Amino acid sequence: GGALGSSGAGGGVAGKRAVTMASSSSRQKSREDYRRAMELEEARKAGLAPAALDEDGKEINPHIPQFMTTAPWYMQSDGPTLKHQRNWKKEVEGAEEAKEAAKGKDQWYQRGKKTFQATKYRKGACANCGAMTHKTKDCLERPRAKGAKWTNKKIAADEHIAEVRLGYDGKRDRWNGYDARDFAKVQQRYEKIESAKQEEAKKLELEEKFKDEGGGEGDGEGEFLLKDEEEAGFNKVEKRVRTTAGGATGSVRNLRIREDTAKYLLNLDVNSAHYDPKSRSMRADPNPDLPDSEKNFRGDAHLLREGEVQAWNRLVLHQGQLSGAGQGHHMQALPSQAEALYKEFKAKKEKVAAKSKTNVVDLYGNAAREDKIDQRLLVGQTERYVEYNRRGQVVKGEENRVASRYEEDVMVNNHTSVWGSWWHDGVWGYACCRQTMRNSYCTGQAERDEGNHGEAAGTAAREVAVGAGGDGRKMLKPRGVGEASASAGAAGYQGKQQTWGEHQEVALDEEKLKVALGKEGERVKARAERDERK
């Protein structure tokens, strides 16, 4: 409503103007007119006011942006319009109108239609056939030895040139101009050929039948016997396959004999091997748990795991690995060379495997060999001479020790035997004093001969280690020289009493032992205090 209005100051001048442009009118709106225009626009968007109409009386969508509805200055529009957004190409509009008018009619080229038949050559016509509708280079007739231009004979008629105006979709329609009635003639032609073939085959069959009846009297029992070539094709079923080019004979394979059990009935479990009804194939084994002797069918894919298929797969894999390294050859182009490379690779691989096996046998021996091992080696008899004394010490020669990853013959806490040399009631201990605590000190032969297996000595050692100090601390009595010599000849443990290279008789200094035990008690006490503070 305010598009044609003018401001209060320039109202008289605006009335004298002949043409008011939309851009100038929008700049001459006052603040009040602009506010009213915005309110009207909001009302139209909310559906409270009717939509604006263009010059054709069509409603304009109020949600269209302003930059699309505003017409340029050269359109000289007096109101709201969308004419500037429409297609101005009259030719396209005419083509669309012609397409709408031609709906339901056959608008296509009329193939083979002739218009005018000339009797003599005309200037500008085709030099080969004499038609005026095409040039010599576009002529589709067979090139004549002498064209119609020189012979003036057999002048071809002019073709009918139709002007078909199509749109974008019509030019790209692959079925445009197709007439289904033309294909009916093709069908009739091949049906006649098929019927002629059937009649000829029936005639030959009757001739063969009459020939057999005339010369085969008395051979009635061989009437239903199959020949070798017929029996060989028992599983081959011939059928007629109709195609667009006519009938053809096809064969259907992979059929079973009716007496055999169907593949899908071998295992009725729904989670068993998958059966494809279209190809009648079951790749997996329907009964994988049964032994092979009880199976009649192991799956169609079992042939891919037998015979030369695996060798071929290994050859393909080898060529693929060589191709990945840039050394392979194309198997289809050079099959013999590919096979020769694979044979060379297998020979090298077998040689390396044999060498590795020989090295392992030489290093560790072969327990599965057939020749018997020398019995002297089994009981440890060798040519090495070693002489021992009564205490088990080596006097002459060198003892062959077995190498171990752990330290051997390690004596701790004044013990003369290793931990684990004593076993009693499911508990390990030391054989020298029969202590069952691993960190205990050796109490000597006297404690062991009492029969308490080191229990009193263990209790005393714990009291010393955890004692509170003062006069109540109990000291362990060291093993003296006389005691050790007296216990050596006593009945009881007769094992080793010392390690090699050490003196048999050991004397302990009481003062040093007292100082060492005091330091150990202080260390244990300090550790207990630290644990309590934590």
Side-chain angles (χ1 to χ4, degrees), residues 5 22 34 95 142 174 177 243 246 278 295 384 393 498 514:
Y34 185 77
R142 177 182 59 85
R174 61 181 300 188
T243 60
K278 184 175 181 180
K295 291 181 182 179
R384 181 180 297 174
Q393 297 178 348
Q498 61 181 0
K514 186 183 297 184

Side-chain angles (χ1 to χ4, degrees), residues 154 235 239 263 383 436 443 446 480:
K154 296 182 179 180
N235 293 331
K239 70 173 185 177
K263 300 176 182 178
E383 297 297 332
T436 57
T443 57

Side-chain angles (χ1 to χ4, degrees), residues 87-98 165:
N87 192 359
W88 290 1
K89 295 182 180 179
K90 300 298 182 181
E91 296 180 0
V92 177
E93 293 180 0
E96 294 294 334
E97 293 176 0
R165 304 176 63 182

Side-chain angles (χ1 to χ4, degrees), residues 350-371:
E350 292 175 357
K351 185 177 180 181
V352 171
K355 184 177 180 181
S356 177
K357 182 178 179 180
T358 304
N359 295 337
V360 172
V361 170
D362 294 343
L363 183 60
Y364 299 101
N366 187 6
R369 60 185 180 183
E370 297 180 357
D371 53 337

Side-chain angles (χ1 to χ4, degrees), residues 222-275:
E223 181 179 356
F224 299 101
L225 295 179
L226 295 176
K227 299 180 181 179
D228 294 339
E229 57 272 10
E230 294 178 354
E231 188 175 1
F234 184 82
N235 293 331
K236 182 178 179 181
V237 178
E238 301 287 345
K239 70 173 185 177
R240 309 300 296 178
V241 180
R242 186 174 297 278
T243 60
T244 56
T249 301
S251 61
V252 179
R253 302 273 182 180
N254 201 16
L255 293 179
R256 63 181 177 86
I257 305 176
R258 296 297 96 184
E259 291 79 6
D260 294 344
T261 305
K263 300 176 182 178
Y264 50 84
L265 296 179
L266 296 175
N267 191 349
L268 300 180
D269 188 5
V270 295
N271 297 323
S272 62
H274 173 69
Y275 175 75

Side-chain angles (χ1 to χ4, degrees), residues 120-167:
K120 59 186 297 184
Y121 180 78
R122 295 160 293 177
K123 185 178 180 181
C126 176
N128 185 44
C129 65
M132 287 289 295
T133 50
H134 62 269
K135 299 298 181 181
T136 306
K137 63 179 181 179
D138 300 328
C139 185
L140 299 179
E141 286 193 9
R142 177 182 59 85
R144 303 179 184 180
K146 291 184 178 181
K149 180 179 180 180
W150 296 276
T151 60
N152 210 9
K153 296 179 180 179
K154 296 182 179 180
I155 304 297
D158 299 340
E159 297 92 351
H160 174 73
I161 299 178
E163 184 179 358
V164 180
R165 304 176 63 182
L166 300 175

Side-chain angles (χ1 to χ4, degrees), residues 67-347:
F67 73 89
M68 295 179 64
T69 57
T70 303
W73 59 271
Y74 54 83
M75 288 294 298
Q76 299 181 2
S77 60
D78 297 335
T81 180
L82 290 176
K83 186 177 180 180
H84 59 282
Q85 296 289 348
R86 297 190 181 96
N87 192 359
W88 290 1
K89 295 182 180 179
K90 300 298 182 181
E91 296 180 0
V92 177
E93 293 180 0
E96 294 294 334
E97 293 176 0
K99 186 177 180 181
E100 292 292 335
K103 281 186 177 180
K105 300 180 181 180
D106 295 334
Q107 293 291 329
W108 197 244
Y109 305 99
Q110 299 181 11
R111 302 181 185 274
K113 185 178 180 180
K114 307 297 182 180
T115 56
F116 177 72
Q117 178 68 53
T119 57
K120 59 186 297 184
Y121 180 78
R122 295 160 293 177
K123 185 178 180 181
C126 176
N128 185 44
C129 65
M132 287 289 295
T133 50
H134 62 269
K135 299 298 181 181
T136 306
K137 63 179 181 179
D138 300 328
C139 185
L140 299 179
E141 286 193 9
R142 177 182 59 85
R144 303 179 184 180
K146 291 184 178 181
K149 180 179 180 180
W150 296 276
T151 60
N152 210 9
K153 296 179 180 179
K154 296 182 179 180
I155 304 297
D158 299 340
E159 297 92 351
H160 174 73
I161 299 178
E163 184 179 358
V164 180
R165 304 176 63 182
L166 300 175
Y168 181 84
D169 295 335
K171 291 180 180 179
R172 290 159 180 80
D173 186 7
R174 61 181 300 188
W175 293 102
N176 196 357
Y178 173 75
D179 189 1
R181 293 172 295 181
D182 296 340
F183 186 69
K185 299 178 181 178
V186 178
Q187 288 179 329
Q188 293 176 2
R189 176 190 174 190
Y190 281 100
E191 284 178 358
K192 291 180 180 179
I193 295 174
E194 188 68 22
S195 60
K197 288 182 178 180
Q198 292 179 0
E199 291 177 358
E200 186 68 21
K202 191 173 182 179
K203 182 178 179 181
L204 293 175
E205 183 180 358
L206 292 175
E207 291 179 357
E208 291 290 337
K209 185 176 180 180
F210 290 140
K211 185 185 298 184
D212 295 341
E213 289 179 355
E217 296 181 359
D219 297 337
E221 56 185 24
E223 181 179 356
F224 299 101
L225 295 179
L226 295 176
K227 299 180 181 179
D228 294 339
E229 57 272 10
E230 294 178 354
E231 188 175 1
F234 184 82
N235 293 331
K236 182 178 179 181
V237 178
E238 301 287 345
K239 70 173 185 177
R240 309 300 296 178
V241 180
R242 186 174 297 278
T243 60
T244 56
T249 301
S251 61
V252 179
R253 302 273 182 180
N254 201 16
L255 293 179
R256 63 181 177 86
I257 305 176
R258 296 297 96 184
E259 291 79 6
D260 294 344
T261 305
K263 300 176 182 178
Y264 50 84
L265 296 179
L266 296 175
N267 191 349
L268 300 180
D269 188 5
V270 295
N271 297 323
S272 62
H274 173 69
Y275 175 75
D276 186 13
K278 184 175 181 180
S279 60
R280 301 184 182 92
S281 63
M282 181 180 289
R283 300 181 61 84
D285 189 354
N287 298 310
D289 299 333
L290 294 178
D292 294 340
S293 59
E294 300 180 6
K295 291 181 182 179
N296 296 326
F297 177 72
R298 291 184 292 172
D300 296 331
H302 79 280
L303 297 176
L304 301 178
R305 299 186 295 269
E306 298 178 356
E308 298 180 354
V309 180
Q310 292 298 326
W312 169 258
N313 292 337
R314 287 192 291 269
L315 176 59
V316 173
L317 179 61
H318 177 255
Q319 288 299 318
Q321 293 175 352
L322 290 182
S323 300
Q327 303 175 0
H329 300 277
H330 199 281
M331 291 191 59
Q332 281 72 24
L334 301 171
S336 301
Q337 187 173 0
E339 188 173 359
L341 289 175
Y342 180 60
K343 289 182 179 179
E344 182 180 356
F345 168 75
K346 287 196 302 181

